[in-house]
Amino acid sequence: MRRLPPLTAIEAFVQVARLGSIKAAAEELALSSPALSRRVQSLERFIGKPLFERRHQALRLNDDGERLLSAIAPALDAMTDAVETMTSGAELLRLRLGVLPLFATQRLMPKLPALRRKHPELHLDVDTGGYGVTRLGEGLDAAIVLARDVDPGLYARRLDRNRVHVIGARSLLEGPDPITRPEQLSKLTALVHRDMVETFTAWRAAAGVPELEPLAIDHFDSGTLMLEAAAQGLGVAFMLESHFEAAQDPRLVQLFDLTVESQYSYWFCCRPRALTQRAVRIFHDWLIEALGAEAD
């Protein structure tokens, strides 16, 4: 049988790779930083090559480290899960997930029955209270957020790429003065989500009317209410294409045939060390597969 490096060295390497810090990994494994460093170095000596780029106090995986992590991390996770199953008296796993209501309604809930069938042990505590990123580690294990980008100190995976649509009531296309040109928006109220505050200004620039000013700009923290407000004729909503398509509301129409790429995307995010939790790993892997997401 071929020799293997000590399991403790492998565990140390995986933790440092995932957390990006000797100090954080040492705290997770209840070791001193020097002791953890020695374990990583022993693995590098066993393999015969460095696995990290060392920059001051930060560590970053090199190409060899990336290949090793992708090969051994799933096996280590499987071993950890097997031991947890044998030693834990509880069979249920629980994930505290922050998610915006519209994403939950349109894209998450319809897929959750498949998750339940695949992982009946996983249960979700769903929180739609907003500010998901700031509450990670303090009330939330993970969050699905709408943002231009995410704090680089967090683990983040982009879930989609989208376009902006101007969504209004079908009645706006009917009558003696139908809305067919962007300039006509000066007579209407723009409805904008608080998590996408730059959507309107980006859209008007891309549409070639950078000086356009609507009658007013009303802000919402609920995409569901934005769609309803648009359907009721209270204004036109600047929202993602996926929101419009998933709504399937016959009262709503896309007002202009313009392709404007959105600066905002949905992201799955969590603190790096949360990926060591089985519930977070299961949900993350399932979500990426279910949405067909592509990372940057």
Side-chain angles (χ1 to χ4, degrees), residues 188-207:
L188 299 172
T189 298
L191 311 177
V192 177
H193 198 286
R194 292 191 184 279
D195 288 340
M196 300 173 62
V197 292
E198 298 177 24
T199 299
F200 171 69
T201 55
W203 181 89
R204 70 181 179 183

Side-chain angles (χ1 to χ4, degrees), residues 14-25 52 57-60 272:
V14 171
Q15 287 286 4
V16 173
R18 283 175 166 168
L19 299 179
S21 162
I22 288 285
K23 181 180 179 181
F52 293 94
Q57 296 184 359
L59 293 178
R60 181 176 180 179

Side-chain angles (χ1 to χ4, degrees), residues 166-169 172 179 185 188-192 230 234-238 255:
V166 183
I167 304 168
L172 292 176
I179 303 298
L185 294 182
L188 299 172
T189 298
L191 311 177
V192 177
L234 301 180
V236 292
F238 289 79
L255 291 181

Side-chain angles (χ1 to χ4, degrees), residues 12-13 23 114 153 161:
F13 163 72
K23 181 180 179 181
R161 295 184 185 276

Side-chain angles (χ1 to χ4, degrees), residues 83-130:
V83 172
E84 286 181 357
T85 299
M86 294 297 294
T87 59
S88 176
E91 297 181 357
L92 296 183
L93 297 174
R94 191 163 295 279
L95 175 72
R96 300 170 301 172
L97 178 69
V99 60
L100 292 173
L102 192 58
F103 184 95
T105 301
Q106 291 185 337
R107 300 178 64 183
L108 184 61
M109 289 299 172
K111 298 180 184 299
L112 285 184
L115 174 62
R116 177 58 55 85
R117 289 191 295 270
K118 187 174 183 179
H119 294 286
E121 75 279 16
L122 179 62
H123 289 256
L124 304 183
D125 288 337
V126 177
D127 187 323
T128 61

